[in-house]
């Protein structure tokens, strides 16, 4: 909750003043956060093995006196460099677009109003509002506090939180550590209470900045996907080096030209170099995170993108996720009488309920932020506006915040002209019953009335009042003599899109488990509205506490609604689901939710109402707190993995014929088909196809109609590996058949090469089209929009026409001019290379239809 502050009275900077200070003093961040510059990207690309091989080949041509070939290869370096830089910059821009979103949020007072901004935009002189669970954005001087305690272990190593007291205009920033100081420091955590502070230092000028100028962030362990790709790259690189050396030696021994043999070896190395694999993975993960952010979900860890398609259980909170988090008072209960509240409530609000609403407002923030506080204020303004029950002139003396030991808030007010202080309390009925010291029978009565209201789908709060005449206020609210005033039932309407989203989860094989702190009746009512109808059983927190781990593991297999759950119990639920072999996605927003978020395979923090602690423990941050956004992210996660698998399969498949066309003619003493310039041309097709075109491929129609992916299943499983190698082998067989027929017929070398290469280009494009979907035919995929794909295909065909029919380019590629019938034969042969795969798709669909 926010403290009762008047932003206009606190002051703060204007947007113009903040902009000036931001320009002069820089961002509120450490230098390590700066992105790579253009020259750094260029240097990174220049060191790529493919470019070094091109330089080597160009140098050899220069030695051989082939100036034209040397010049073209050296110019092609800049073309490859341009494509690589485009891919790198696309990735960088996607990461930069996420940068501000990932910055911890800070609540500042600008232009006399509260404004939430990225923590990196905080400047010296800003007034910041500190709340429980938030990270302090900069070094600051505390101006006002309510029970404010800060965890400064990041700077001091002391795990015990320290209390903070307000300072004055003359107070100077002190060193971290110690109770009752007025200084707070960047990076430390608010663990209790709230306050307002003025920023005194930002960025590297903070205590954290002074210590952390040489801060090295920990590198996370490589994900399973990266480890698998690394293994494939190492295997291909090892095989490639061995084959290249073999080819160069064989060529030199059999043909007596060692320099040309070295050139052939370089060509072989270029054909086998698995450079696309890491590029594809980097591009897919970066652009995937960017695409998911457009669905209001921020990705903090790339591993979450891999895990999204594997989620089998989605654990969600009720308030704000399934519901709109727009509370309204719907029912009041006092002195045995019940009253239904609606929008048409007349001005003659029953006197019986005046005191209940009055003290509900007094127990809330004067400037409410919490939805329940807002609901009390709105009811008071509508029904008590012309009564003496609204006290805008009362002075707040103290607040006793909500704590895990007492789920209630108490606020002490000084009343004008009255020596007695008034205390208002609201919270869970059991907590208020404890404050009021009710007998066992009275507690049972309160519980029965609360459960009856909860069965209507309402969230229940109890309200109490007390008076206290001493100026020395007790440290514990239990010291006051409270009197129960009644119960308040608040309704939070379900989000309209939730039932459809939950049905989509069910279709996709994902269980949705609701975990809430509300009453069982409220939870059950919301579950019915949302479509969580599998069984009527609801397990409560007290029941859960009595279960052994084995019993809990059995229960979580069938129960989908857990009520009256405290945050600490969420971790047990996550662990029980994981023990059953589930891949768990978990939402949370509070400080105490952090362990459960960290333990879940996919931790999802609330971006709107969540704390910084929860956001830092999570892998995903839900920017709009909406359940439908989680489902959209899962859909995108499945699409990203599908497209990544298609791209990787294509890359593996296309390297088979490239390597074969470079190797086999050498072994059979046939004329060479591929020269370095041909491999460069192929790379200009392969690189954008695998990293840009496949990434932009629309999702499959059945993406949410199939079970979640097994997280243990590798990207290159046996079936994928076999099909990829068969695809490559079929392309190689067709192109070699064209080559062999032309060669045996005595065609000139230039004509044989032109026929073979044209067939290969057509087969390559057919391979791209065939891998757009492993279930739909090429004809069906043509109806799916993918502009990037058509740019790649049209560009490839245009360049092919150029090298076949422009004399300079034709001579450079060692081609002869092809006739119309030659083109028809090449096109038919190239397309024929993937027909078996199209037939396999039809056969696979028939097996599914017939249940095979």
């Amino acid at each position: 909750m926010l403290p009762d502050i008047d932003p206009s009275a606190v002051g703060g900077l204007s947007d113009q003043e903040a902009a000036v200070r931001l320009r002069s003093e820089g961002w509120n961040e450490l230098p390590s956060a700066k992105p790579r510059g253009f020259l750094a990207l260029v240097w990174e690309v220049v060191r790529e093995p493919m470019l070094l091989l091109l330089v080597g080949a160009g140098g050899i041509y220069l030695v051989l006196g082939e100036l034209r070939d040397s010049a073209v290869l050296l110019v092609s370096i800049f073309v490859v460099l341009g494509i690589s830089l485009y891919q790198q910059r696309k990735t960088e821009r996607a990461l930069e677009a996420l940068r501000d979103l990932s910055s911890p949020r800070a609540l500042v007072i600008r232009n006399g109003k509260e404004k939430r901004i990225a923590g990196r935009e905080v400047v010296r002189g800003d007034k910041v509002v500190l709340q429980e669970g938030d990270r302090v954005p900069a070094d600051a001087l505390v101006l006002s506090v309510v029970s404010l305690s800060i965890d400064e272990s990041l700077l001091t190593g002391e795990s015990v939180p320290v209390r903070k007291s307000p300072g004055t205009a003359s107070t100077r920033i002190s060193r971290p550590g110690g109770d009752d100081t007025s200084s707070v420091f960047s990076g430390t955590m608010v663990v209790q209470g709230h306050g307002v502070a003025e920023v005194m230092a930002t960025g590297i000028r903070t205590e954290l900045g002074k210590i952390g100028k040489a801060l090295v962030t920990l590198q996370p362990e490589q994900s399973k996907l990266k480890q698998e790709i690394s293994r494939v790259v190492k295997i291909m690189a090892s095989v490639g080096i061995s084959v290249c050396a073999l080819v160069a030696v064989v060529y030199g021994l059999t043909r007596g030209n060692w320099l040309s043999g070295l050139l052939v070896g370089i060509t072989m190395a270029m054909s086998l170099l698995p450079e696309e694999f890491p590029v594809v993975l980097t591009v897919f993960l970066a652009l995937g995170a960017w695409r998911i952010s457009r669905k209001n979900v921020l990705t903090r860890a790339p591993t979450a993108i891999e895990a999204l398609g594997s989620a089998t259980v989605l654990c969600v909170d009720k308030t704000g996720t399934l519901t709109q988090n727009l509370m309204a008072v719907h029912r009041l209960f006092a002195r045995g009488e019940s009253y239904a509240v609606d929008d048409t409530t007349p001005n003659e609000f029953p006197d019986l309920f005046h005191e209940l609403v009055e003290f509900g407002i007094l127990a809330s923030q004067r400037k409410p932020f919490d939805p329940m506080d807002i609901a009390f204020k709105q009811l008071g303004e509508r029904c008590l506006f012309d009564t003496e029950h609204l006290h805008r002139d009362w002075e707040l003396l103290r607040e006793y915040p909500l704590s895990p030991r007492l789920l209630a808030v108490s606020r002490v007010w000084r009343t004008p002209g009255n020596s007695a202080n008034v205390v208002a309390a609201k919270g869970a009925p059991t907590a208020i019953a404890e404050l009021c010291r009710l007998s066992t029978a009275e507690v049972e009565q309160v519980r029965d009335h609360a459960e009856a209201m909860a069965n209507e789908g309402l969230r229940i709060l109890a309200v109490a009042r007390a008076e206290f005449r001493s100026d020395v206020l007790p440290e514990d609210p239990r010291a006051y003599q409270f009197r129960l005033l009644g119960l308040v039932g608040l309704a939070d309407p379900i989000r309209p899109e939730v039932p459809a989203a939950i049905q989509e989860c069910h279709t996709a094989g994902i269980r949705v488990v609701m975990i809430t702190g509300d009453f069982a009746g409220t939870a059950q009512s919301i579950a019915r509205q949302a479509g969580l109808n599998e069984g009527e059983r609801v397990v409560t927190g007290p029941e859960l506490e009595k279960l052994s781990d084995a019993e809990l593991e059995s229960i979580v297999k069938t129960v989908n609604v857990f009520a009256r759950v405290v945050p600490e119990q969420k971790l047990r639920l996550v662990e029980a689901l994981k023990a059953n072999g589930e891949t768990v996605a978990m939402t949370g927003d509070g400080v105490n939710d952090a362990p459960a978020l960290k333990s879940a395979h996919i931790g999802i923090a609330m971006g709107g109402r969540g704390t910084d602690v929860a956001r830092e423990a999570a892998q995903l941050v839900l920017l709009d707190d909406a359940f439908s956004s989680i489902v959209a992210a899962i859909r995108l996660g499945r699409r990203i993995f599908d497209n990544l698998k298609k791209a990787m399969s294509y890359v593996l498949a296309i390297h088979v014929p490239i390597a074969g066309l470079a190797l086999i003619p050498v072994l059979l003493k046939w004329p060479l088909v591929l020269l370095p310039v041909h491999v460069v041309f192929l790379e200009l097709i392969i690189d954008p196809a695998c990293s840009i075109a496949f990434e932009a491929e629309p999702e499959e129609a059945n993406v949410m109609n199939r079970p979640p992916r097994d997280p243990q299943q590798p990207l290159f499983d046996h079936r994928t590996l076999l099909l990829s190698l068969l695809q490559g082998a079929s392309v190689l067989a067709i192109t070699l058949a064209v080559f062999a027929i032309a060669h045996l017929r005595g065609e000139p070398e230039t004509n044989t090469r032109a026929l073979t290469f044209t067939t290969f280009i057509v087969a390559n494009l057919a391979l791209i089209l065939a891998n757009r979907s492993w279930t739909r035919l090429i004809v069906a995929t043509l109806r799916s929009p993918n502009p990037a794909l058509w740019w790649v295909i049209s560009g490839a065909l245009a360049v092919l026409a150029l090298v076949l029919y422009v004399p300079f380019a034709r001579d450079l590629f060692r081609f002869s001019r092809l006739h119309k019938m030659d083109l028809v034969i090449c096109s038919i042969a190239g397309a024929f290379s993937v027909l078996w795969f199209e037939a396999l798709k039809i056969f696979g669909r028939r097996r599914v239809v017939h249940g095979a």
Side-chain angles (χ1 to χ4, degrees):
M1 288 184 231
L2 295 175
D4 284 330
I5 59 171
D6 182 357
S8 59
V10 171
L13 301 178
S14 66
D15 287 334
Q16 293 76 15
E17 290 172 321
V20 170
R21 294 192 181 186
L22 190 61
R23 283 195 297 270
S24 64
E25 299 180 6
W27 297 106
N28 178 34
E29 59 188 5
L30 298 181
S32 59
K34 291 182 180 178
R36 292 178 296 172
F38 179 75
L39 292 179
L41 291 177
V42 172
W43 175 243
E44 187 173 311
V45 174
V46 165
R47 293 180 298 169
E48 288 293 326
M50 177 61 75
L51 286 180
L52 297 178
L53 288 172
L54 283 175
V55 172
I60 292 174
Y61 273 124
L62 198 61
V63 172
L64 292 172
E66 302 285 352
L67 298 180
R68 184 177 57 181
D69 293 276
S70 177
V72 168
L73 281 185
L74 295 177
V75 168
S76 69
I77 289 175
F78 292 97
V79 178
V80 175
L81 181 65
I83 292 177
S84 299
L85 283 176
Y86 172 75
Q87 292 170 331
Q88 291 274 18
R89 280 303 298 157
K90 194 174 179 70
T91 300
E92 286 290 319
R93 282 196 296 268
L95 295 174
E96 287 169 10
L98 300 172
R99 196 160 169 236
D100 278 351
L101 291 176
S102 62
S103 174
R105 316 312 283 174
L107 187 64
V108 300
I109 297 173
R110 296 260 180 97
N111 302 315
K113 296 180 180 178
E114 293 168 358
K115 182 179 182 181
R116 193 168 289 277
I117 62 174
R120 64 194 297 263
E121 297 175 7
V122 171
V123 298
R124 182 176 51 83
D126 261 329
K127 301 294 195 304
V128 295
V129 179
L130 305 174
Q131 305 175 78
E132 183 176 314
D134 284 354
R135 226 172 243 298
V136 178
D139 288 6
L141 186 66
V142 176
L143 303 179
S144 63
V145 300
V146 175
S147 304
L148 184 65
S149 293
I150 305 283
D151 178 1
E152 296 183 348
S153 58
L154 178 71
L155 298 173
T156 65
E158 294 294 332
S159 58
V160 179
V162 293
R163 295 188 306 273
K164 294 297 174 181
S165 301
T168 63
S170 61
T171 306
R172 300 174 63 87
I173 287 283
S174 63
R175 299 288 297 172
D179 283 322
D180 297 320
T181 66
S182 55
S183 301
V184 293
F185 302 94
S186 177
T188 59
M189 189 71 65
V190 181
V191 296
Q192 184 178 0
H194 44 239
V196 179
E198 180 178 351
V199 174
M200 308 302 288
T202 61
I204 60 173
R205 291 168 290 277
T206 64
E207 288 293 322
L208 182 63
K210 294 172 186 175
I211 296 171
K213 286 182 182 178
L215 186 66
V216 178
T217 56
L218 293 175
Q219 292 296 321
E221 183 182 348
Q222 276 196 335
S223 66
K224 290 182 180 178
L225 193 55
K226 284 189 177 180
Q227 292 173 359
E228 183 182 354
I229 296 300
S230 296
R231 283 197 302 271
V232 173
V233 169
K234 288 176 182 177
I235 292 171
M236 289 188 67
S238 301
V239 172
I241 292 172
S242 303
V243 173
C244 295
L246 176 65
V247 167
V249 170
V250 169
Y251 192 95
L253 290 174
T254 58
R255 308 196 188 191
N257 191 334
W258 289 96
L259 201 57
S260 295
L262 182 58
L263 190 63
V264 171
I266 289 176
T267 305
M268 192 71 196
M270 292 170 63
S271 68
L272 281 175
L273 191 68
E275 61 157 3
E276 299 93 352
F277 286 110
V279 171
V280 168
L281 184 60
T282 301
V283 170
F284 267 69
L285 292 182
L287 293 183
W290 172 74
R291 289 187 187 279
I292 290 175
S293 74
R294 298 178 71 187
K295 299 295 183 181
N296 291 313
V297 180
L298 171 66
T299 305
R300 298 190 69 252
T303 51
I305 297 176
E306 299 176 32
L308 276 170
S310 305
T312 59
V313 175
L314 182 52
C315 298
V316 296
D317 190 13
K318 174 184 73 67
T319 305
T321 307
L322 298 180
T323 63
Q324 298 178 31
N325 203 22
L326 297 173
M327 288 287 186
V329 177
H330 273 239
R331 185 169 295 280
L332 302 172
F333 179 85
R335 302 178 195 173
E337 298 289 333
S338 180
Y339 180 76
V341 182
D342 56 40
D343 292 337
T344 59
T345 300
N347 292 339
E348 293 79 18
F349 189 63
D351 292 340
L352 178 63
F353 301 98
H354 280 198
E355 189 179 27
L356 175 60
V357 176
E358 172 188 4
F359 276 81
I361 295 171
L362 288 173
S364 305
Q365 301 291 340
R366 180 167 280 163
K367 292 180 62 62
F369 176 75
D370 182 89
M372 289 185 288
D373 288 1
I374 293 172
F376 274 105
K377 182 179 180 182
Q378 290 175 341
L379 179 63
E381 289 176 346
R382 192 169 76 243
C383 301
L384 302 178
F385 69 95
D386 60 349
T387 70
E388 73 282 4
H389 297 288
L390 297 180
H391 308 288
R392 296 184 177 89
D393 56 341
W394 285 16
E395 178 188 357
L396 179 65
L397 296 179
R398 178 163 185 173
E399 175 179 317
Y400 299 92
L402 194 76
S403 70
R405 293 170 301 185
L406 185 65
L407 298 177
V409 175
S410 303
R411 294 161 70 82
V412 184
W413 298 89
R414 176 176 290 152
T415 61
N418 192 331
S419 59
N421 298 319
V422 173
V423 189
K426 76 175 189 327
T430 51
I432 296 298
E434 178 186 347
L435 287 178
C436 295
R437 301 183 180 89
L438 299 183
S439 65
T440 303
E442 290 171 326
V443 170
E444 286 297 325
Q445 276 188 327
V446 170
R447 185 180 292 118
D448 290 344
H449 291 303
E451 289 181 356
M453 294 170 68
N455 288 335
E456 300 178 29
L458 303 178
R459 183 166 187 175
I460 313 303
L461 290 177
V463 178
R465 67 167 295 172
E467 292 185 358
F468 194 73
R469 296 188 176 275
S470 172
D471 291 332
V472 180
L473 302 179
E475 291 299 319
D476 192 326
R478 295 178 181 84
Y480 298 109
Q481 298 292 324
F482 280 103
R483 173 169 60 88
L484 180 66
L485 297 179
L487 302 175
V488 179
L490 300 102
D492 184 7
I494 195 169
R495 290 179 182 263
E497 70 275 11
V498 162
I502 287 182
Q503 182 56 48
E504 189 174 11
C505 285
H506 291 165
T507 305
I510 303 170
R511 274 180 64 204
V512 180
V513 176
M514 185 174 76
I515 303 173
T516 179
D518 267 348
F519 281 95
T522 306
Q524 203 164 37
S525 175
I526 295 297
R528 290 195 199 99
Q529 296 176 51
L532 291 173
N533 298 320
E534 299 92 337
E536 292 294 317
R537 185 177 179 187
V538 178
V539 174
T540 64
E543 292 173 338
L544 190 153
E545 195 171 349
K546 298 174 184 177
L547 298 174
S548 67
D549 290 343
E551 291 171 331
L552 184 57
E553 288 168 18
S554 175
I555 282 176
V556 295
K557 291 179 181 178
T558 55
V559 176
N560 294 323
V561 181
F562 294 87
R564 306 304 290 167
V565 172
V566 296
E568 290 81 359
Q569 293 173 327
K570 292 183 179 181
L571 178 60
R572 281 197 71 199
L573 289 170
V574 170
E575 294 294 342
L577 288 164
K578 288 169 62 178
N580 289 337
E582 306 282 6
T583 300
V584 184
M586 174 80 190
T587 67
D589 57 5
V591 175
N592 292 333
D593 290 335
L597 293 173
K598 200 78 173 176
S599 175
H601 296 101
I602 310 168
I604 307 172
M606 301 295 106
R609 67 179 190 276
T611 61
D612 282 346
V613 178
R615 284 191 285 267
E616 290 176 16
Q619 294 172 307
L620 300 177
V621 177
L622 202 59
L623 300 178
D624 61 357
D625 294 0
F627 177 79
S628 57
S629 295
I630 305 175
V631 181
I634 291 175
R635 173 186 286 271
L636 265 175
R638 291 188 174 193
R639 167 191 161 175
I640 291 165
F641 194 87
D642 283 353
N643 290 346
L644 179 62
K645 191 169 186 176
K646 295 171 188 175
M648 294 295 192
S649 300
Y650 162 72
V651 171
L652 184 61
I654 198 61
H655 272 282
V656 173
I658 295 176
L661 289 175
L663 176 63
I664 292 174
V666 174
L667 299 178
L668 298 179
K669 294 186 180 181
W670 288 356
L672 297 179
V673 178
L674 296 182
L675 302 174
V677 68
H678 300 122
V679 178
V680 170
F681 180 19
L682 290 170
E683 288 296 330
L684 296 182
I685 300 173
I686 296 170
D687 279 359
C690 64
S691 62
I692 304 299
F694 277 111
E695 194 282 329
E697 187 64 27
E699 65 194 34
E700 296 278 1
N702 69 336
V703 70
M704 292 296 278
N705 293 327
R706 61 176 189 247
R709 179 179 61 86
D710 183 356
Q712 302 304 319
Q713 181 182 4
L715 183 68
F716 289 111
D717 55 21
H718 294 303
R719 178 175 179 270
T720 302
L721 191 62
L722 178 62
L723 287 176
S724 297
L725 294 176
L726 284 176
Q727 285 181 341
S730 64
V731 172
L732 176 60
I734 291 294
T735 51
L736 278 179
V738 171
F739 179 88
I741 292 171
H743 179 64
L744 294 175
R745 286 181 57 188
E747 296 281 348
E749 181 179 321
T750 53
N751 202 47
T752 300
R753 184 178 291 113
L755 286 167
T756 305
F757 192 76
T758 302
T759 302
F760 184 41
I761 293 298
V762 174
N764 183 15
L765 297 180
L767 195 62
I768 293 172
L769 293 173
N771 277 283
R772 290 184 70 189
S773 174
W774 281 26
T775 56
R776 292 181 296 152
L777 300 178
I778 291 177
V779 176
T781 62
L782 293 178
R783 294 191 291 268
S784 301
N786 188 342
L789 172 71
W790 300 118
W791 276 106
V792 171
I793 291 178
S794 59
L797 293 175
V799 177
L800 179 62
L802 181 73
V803 300
L804 286 175
Y805 297 106
V806 175
F808 171 80
R810 187 169 62 237
D811 293 342
L812 182 67
F813 274 71
R814 313 291 202 277
F815 288 164
S816 61
R817 183 186 179 90
L818 295 184
H819 301 292
K820 289 183 180 178
M821 186 53 64
D822 294 330
L823 292 177
V824 171
I825 292 172
C826 292
S827 298
I828 293 174
F832 186 77
S833 65
V834 298
L835 284 182
W836 70 270
F837 190 55
E838 296 297 286
L840 187 65
K841 294 177 185 177
I842 297 174
F843 178 69
R845 283 197 311 217
R846 287 178 177 172
R847 288 185 64 189
V848 171
V849 170
H850 292 91

